[in-house]
């Protein structure tokens, strides 16, 4: 099975060949590195930009205004905060022009903890991204969804923010990418650049098939009727593991992978909460003004009389950064024991 970095790479190759993507660029995304996480190795329309995040976003806006379909990478989400005003301009262009101007651009950036990246390589961006209207925002939790969401993103008429959970980029999926060979080693030989001299290397792409995950459509990854867990990105697999563990204790949790933060699948969330009466929202962004707080507010306003317990949020600590040491990083953002503890407490609460 492909890992998430390989899945994104294959989706971008498909977009080059079939969706009109002509420019894929950012810091070190071109030869010889092919991106810090190798997600752009071997692509034909990839090139290295200067180390200038504002220049990267500004170039993407210009290309999109000229009718191109650029995919721009910010090497780590920690570096994107100095482009907020440009992201705001990109987000409001279609609205401000009354629909006369579209910006078909994708900005991809690795987010979150899990690689011991410390202060400057561990930030989340999901809550901040949802504060910028005009952008669609997606964050996959597995390679197949990463492939399908990237293909959808490259077909959009206006900006899409593609958030890549760093901790999951090397994790293999449980389902094959359409067209991916059955042998994982064969896939690696075909599309992974060799170590050392890469000057003569060219990838041998599999015959990839169209597969799009609709933006705004969530997915139930574990069925249950006693409580609802809503998550995405790095914390989603942890929530699924927690649900599996609790099932052995007789607690049946339904786990929803949101996949898209805007638009998001409120109808899926609503139906699940109406069924279970309890809900926990889980992500690793800092807990103050967290996107999960918005979901808690909407849950209370619209589903108050369906609830058997107050809705809860489990999120990252409100800290300026994440420490380098294992213990500091793991204490800063939700881990499996934290999710289990929160779910057991939620299950035991009586109306």
């Amino acid at each position: 099975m492909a890992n998430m970095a390989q899945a994104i790479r294959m989706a971008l190759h498909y977009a080059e060949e079939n969706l009109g993507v002509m420019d894929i660029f950012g810091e070190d995304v071109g030869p010889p590195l092919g991106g810090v996480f190798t997600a752009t190795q071997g692509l034909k329309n990839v090139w290295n930009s200067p180390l200038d995040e504002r220049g990267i976003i500004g170039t993407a806006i210009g290309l999109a205004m000229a009718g191109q379909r650029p995919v721009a990478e910010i090497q780590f989400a920690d570096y994107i905060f100095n482009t907020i005003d440009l992201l705001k301009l990109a987000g409001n262009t279609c609205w401000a022009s009354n629909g006369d101007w579209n910006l078909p651009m994708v900005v991809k950036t690795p987010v979150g903890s899990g690689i011991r990246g410390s202060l400057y390589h561990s930030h989340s961006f999901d809550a901040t991204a949802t504060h910028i209207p005009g952008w669609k925002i997606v964050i996959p939790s597995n390679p197949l969804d990463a492939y399908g969401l990237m293909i959808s993103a490259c077909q959009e008429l206006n900006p899409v923010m593609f958030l890549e959970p760093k901790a999951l980029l090397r994790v293999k999926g449980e389902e094959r990418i359409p067209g991916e060979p059955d042998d994982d080693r064969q896939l690696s030989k075909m599309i992974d650049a060799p170590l050392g001299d890469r000057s003569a290397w060219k990838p041998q792409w599999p015959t990839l098939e169209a597969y799009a995950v609709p933006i705004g459509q969530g997915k139930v990854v574990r069925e249950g009727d006693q409580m609802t867990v809503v998550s995405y990105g790095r914390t989603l697999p942890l929530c699924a593991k927690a649900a599996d563990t609790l099932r052995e204790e007789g607690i049946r949790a339904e786990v929803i992978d949101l996949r898209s933060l805007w638009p998001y699948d409120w109808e899926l969330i609503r139906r699940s909460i109406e069924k279970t009466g309890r809900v926990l929202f889980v992500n690793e962004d800092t807990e103050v003004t967290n996107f999960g707080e918005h979901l808690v507010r909407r849950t209370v306003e619209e589903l108050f009389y369906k609830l058997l317990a107050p809705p809860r949020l489990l999120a990252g600590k409100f800290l300026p950064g994440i420490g380098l040491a294992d213990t500091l990083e793991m204490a800063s953002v939700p881990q499996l024991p934290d999710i289990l503890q929160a779910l057991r407490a939620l299950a035991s609460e009586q109306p």
Side-chain angles (χ1 to χ4, degrees):
M1 304 290 183
N3 63 36
M4 188 179 290
Q6 291 172 323
I8 292 169
R9 196 188 316 158
M10 288 190 284
L12 290 172
H13 169 69
Y14 181 91
E16 287 183 320
E17 297 297 320
N18 300 280
L19 304 178
V21 171
M22 294 297 295
D23 290 278
I24 302 167
F25 61 97
E27 299 168 5
D28 297 319
V29 303
L33 189 59
V36 170
F37 296 96
T38 72
T40 52
Q41 282 183 353
L43 299 170
K44 67 179 182 180
N45 294 321
V46 68
W47 48 275
N48 293 316
S49 74
L51 275 63
D52 176 12
E53 286 76 26
R54 294 181 62 81
I56 292 168
I57 299 299
T59 299
I61 292 173
L63 287 168
M65 281 187 166
Q68 302 297 314
R69 286 188 170 272
V71 176
E73 177 178 288
I74 301 299
Q75 193 173 69
F76 288 89
D78 310 64
Y79 308 158
I80 203 172
F81 291 90
N82 70 329
T83 73
I84 295 294
D85 57 331
L86 297 177
L87 299 178
K88 179 71 173 177
L89 287 173
N92 71 23
T93 295
C94 181
W95 182 85
S97 67
N98 196 31
D100 288 342
W101 288 89
N102 296 113
L103 259 67
M105 56 184 279
V106 177
V107 174
K108 63 188 288 292
T109 187
V111 296
S113 65
I115 64 165
R116 309 301 181 255
S118 192
L119 187 62
Y120 297 110
H121 301 86
S122 301
H123 281 99
S124 295
F125 191 64
D126 37 298
T128 303
T130 61
H131 294 164
I132 308 174
W135 284 80
K136 292 186 176 181
I137 306 156
V138 301
I139 178 167
S141 66
N142 61 79
L144 182 61
D145 281 352
Y147 181 83
L149 287 168
M150 180 59 80
I151 287 178
S152 290
C154 290
Q155 297 179 81
E156 284 289 327
L157 290 177
N158 283 296
V160 178
M161 183 69 64
F162 191 98
L163 305 178
E164 306 165 341
K166 292 195 232 29
L168 302 182
L169 283 167
R170 290 283 180 265
V171 177
K172 291 185 177 182
E174 297 178 353
E175 300 175 273
R176 294 204 179 277
I177 308 300
E180 175 190 348
D182 292 338
D183 187 339
D184 295 354
R185 290 173 297 180
Q186 180 185 357
L187 177 67
S188 180
K189 290 179 180 179
M190 293 173 69
I191 69 170
D192 290 343
L195 299 175
D197 183 14
R198 301 174 177 178
S199 58
W201 174 77
K202 291 185 179 180
Q204 296 177 311
W205 298 103
T207 304
L208 297 168
E209 303 171 18
Y211 175 82
V213 173
I215 294 176
Q217 186 177 104
K219 180 181 180 181
V220 175
V221 298
R222 294 291 188 276
E223 300 278 354
D225 58 9
Q226 291 181 312
M227 68 182 71
T228 300
V229 186
V230 181
S231 190
Y232 51 83
R234 182 191 72 88
T235 53
L236 190 281
L238 298 179
C239 291
K241 289 180 181 179
D244 293 340
T245 298
L246 292 176
R247 193 166 296 273
E248 298 174 0
E249 302 173 15
I251 300 173
R252 299 181 301 278
E254 182 153 286
V255 181
I256 292 175
D257 186 348
L258 210 50
R259 301 198 291 192
S260 298
L261 303 188
W262 191 263
Y264 63 89
D265 198 340
W266 174 248
E267 285 305 304
L268 182 64
I269 298 171
R270 179 187 59 78
R271 290 195 301 269
S272 182
I273 295 174
E274 287 180 342
K275 176 174 63 174
T276 67
R278 293 177 170 85
V279 61
L280 173 70
F281 299 100
V282 183
N283 65 71
E284 67 171 73
D285 209 343
T286 51
E287 61 186 356
V288 177
T289 65
N290 186 284
F291 179 63
E293 290 182 330
H294 161 71
L295 297 176
V296 169
R297 188 270 301 167
R298 189 168 183 181
T299 299
V300 171
E301 287 186 358
E302 298 186 25
L303 301 172
F304 182 82
Y305 294 106
K306 301 289 185 179
L307 294 171
L308 301 175
R312 299 189 179 193
L313 170 67
L314 178 62
K317 303 296 192 299
F318 190 60
L319 299 170
I322 291 177
L324 177 60
D326 279 10
T327 51
L328 291 176
E329 181 179 81
M330 295 183 73
S332 300
V333 293
Q335 307 296 334
L336 180 58
D338 304 313
I339 298 169
L340 286 167
Q341 180 180 4
L343 287 175
R344 289 186 179 114
L346 183 60
S348 66
E349 189 158 347
Q350 297 301 315

